[in-house]
Amino acid sequence: MGKPLALDEQAKKTLLRKIPHGLYICGVKDGEEVNGFTASWIMQASFQPPLVVNCVKTDSISHRMIKNSGVFALSFLEEGQKELAQNFFKPMRRVGNKFEEIEFYLGETGCPIIQDSLGYIECNVVGSVEHGDHTVYVGEVIAAGIHREGNPLLLEQTGWNYGG
Ligand SMILES: Cc1cc2nc3c(=O)[nH]c(=O)nc-3n(C[C@H](O)[C@H](O)[C@H](O)COP(=O)(O)O)c2cc1C
């Protein structure tokens, strides 16, 4: 796994930023403690069993929490819910409890689920790739629920970037 000799950094960045992403609140727990963060690097990875991948920043509190508990939940945001997404960018280390003014409930895994979202899936971690500044967690979907109909919030609608 050698480093490419002459990676075109600009081309890499431009193209990686064209990969389409949705925006989610990833709810996590560790014992009694709960937390959540805005996640975009999510995709389906298998039909049977149903798997998703969730790439999580190694220096975040949430990374440690997923590693310890082996579970996470994804709440699906609706178009227009930028403010909610923004609330969960902030690291717990700096802002403390991000759920203070947000309505949520605990799912089957014990992870927090945002009430005002389109719906959620909950996952057991069944594998991981720890390489680089994000860990690829592979989650098997063990629960799901719909709160309401609606279109998803997409990263490209927001003017924000996470990628490159
Ligand atoms: C648009 C956007 C998308 C993001 N997507 C991810 C992601 O897919 N994975 C990730 O680990 N962090 C992502 N983040 C960063 C986390 O939301 C951020 O690191 C958060 O503060 C972590 O919270 P914690 O330290 O309380 O766990 C994203 C941030 C932004 C602004």
Side-chain angles (χ1 to χ4, degrees):
M1 285 205 281
K3 220 177 167 186
L5 284 180
L7 173 63
D8 182 336
E9 287 288 338
Q10 196 51 51
K12 182 254 310 168
K13 184 170 171 177
T14 302
L15 291 167
L16 291 184
R17 286 188 172 180
K18 290 187 194 295
I19 299 177
H21 293 101
L23 282 170
Y24 312 82
I25 305 300
C26 179
V28 299
K29 72 156 194 189
D30 186 5
E32 295 292 292
E33 189 185 20
V34 296
N35 188 34
F37 68 98
T38 303
S40 55
W41 290 357
I42 304 285
M43 64 181 274
Q44 183 161 0
S46 162
F47 283 122
Q48 202 49 254
L51 301 178
V52 295
V53 293
N54 178 9
C55 307
V56 184
K57 220 163 153 244
T58 53
D59 64 1
S60 66
I61 298 257
S62 299
H63 184 274
R64 187 256 295 160
M65 294 174 77
I66 295 175
K67 196 167 180 164
N68 289 346
S69 67
V71 288
F72 62 84
L74 293 169
S75 293
F76 287 56
L77 297 179
E78 185 173 15
E79 58 186 355
Q81 290 190 306
K82 272 183 82 168
E83 209 180 312
L84 190 52
Q86 216 157 359
N87 199 58
F88 283 88
F89 290 170
K90 301 161 192 157
M92 188 187 196
R93 240 178 233 111
R94 191 151 50 79
V95 296
N97 180 8
K98 292 181 236 182
F99 284 95
E100 198 122 292
E101 283 168 16
I102 307 280
E103 237 189 288
F104 72 98
Y105 60 94
L106 300 181
E108 279 177 39
T109 55
C111 293
I113 291 166
I114 307 280
Q115 182 68 62
D116 185 21
S117 62
L118 294 176
Y120 67 91
I121 57 174
E122 291 186 80
C123 296
N124 283 334
V125 174
V126 295
S128 63
V129 178
E130 297 198 31
H131 187 77
D133 53 20
H134 284 61
T135 293
V136 181
Y137 284 113
V138 180
E140 179 166 351
V141 181
I142 52 107
I146 291 179
H147 296 146
R148 63 168 188 268
E149 288 301 315
N151 296 321
L153 177 63
L154 303 178
L155 183 59
E156 53 265 34
Q157 296 164 350
T158 64
W160 301 328
N161 268 313
Y162 196 78

